Amino acid sequence: MIGILTEAQEIRRAVEDEDAEVPESPSEVEPRVITQMLNEMLPHIRVPADATPQEVTHLLATALGPALYTMVSGFTLAFTSLAMAHDEGRTDVSSAEVLQTLALQVEAGRFDEGA
């Protein structure tokens, strides 16, 4: 999720920078990047051909629940971090830097449950 926001920022910057080479239009690149990142985050689910609707529902809820929780938590954390930097009037740090710092903190396990 932080990666999606960071990648979106990089695409936006490349579009705004007239000297930067943008191989494709952002409207073509951004959905592919986001789809790729979502595919990496979401689990692969195998549903037996003879599964009942209730079994399919249970499989989907069991597989997607934790991934969706992680995604929503990540976007909430990213939004809150960016909003705090904005509300504090921070001009010494860019949004990309806020997201990079946050990504490093997440990688280090700072936001793991029980930490």
Side-chain angles (χ1 to χ4, degrees):
M1 65 247 81
I2 296 170
I4 290 171
L5 294 174
T6 302
E7 187 66 26
Q9 278 287 80
E10 292 303 315
I11 291 170
R12 182 187 60 80
R13 280 203 184 91
V15 169
E16 290 177 355
D17 183 0
E18 295 174 6
D19 297 329
E21 289 186 36
V22 181
E24 303 173 69
S25 75
S27 61
E28 295 171 4
V29 174
E30 213 165 318
R32 271 201 321 260
V33 169
I34 292 170
T35 299
Q36 179 183 353
M37 289 183 173
L38 286 174
N39 284 336
E40 291 172 7
M41 293 178 70
L42 294 174
H44 296 281
I45 304 168
R46 291 183 183 215
V47 178
D50 61 345
T52 67
Q54 292 82 7
E55 291 170 330
V56 172
T57 301
H58 178 74
L59 284 169
L60 291 174
T62 301
L64 293 177
L68 294 175
Y69 174 82
T70 298
M71 289 170 53
V72 169
S73 296
F75 280 118
T76 302
L77 181 59
F79 174 81
T80 302
S81 298
L82 291 166
M84 287 174 56
H86 175 270
D87 292 348
E88 291 170 359
R90 300 277 312 266
T91 57
D92 61 319
V93 63
S94 70
S95 58
E97 291 169 327
V98 170
L99 292 172
Q100 289 168 354
T101 299
L102 183 57
L104 292 172
Q105 292 172 344
V106 168
E107 180 88 15
R110 178 161 180 236
F111 300 101
D112 289 346
E113 288 187 36

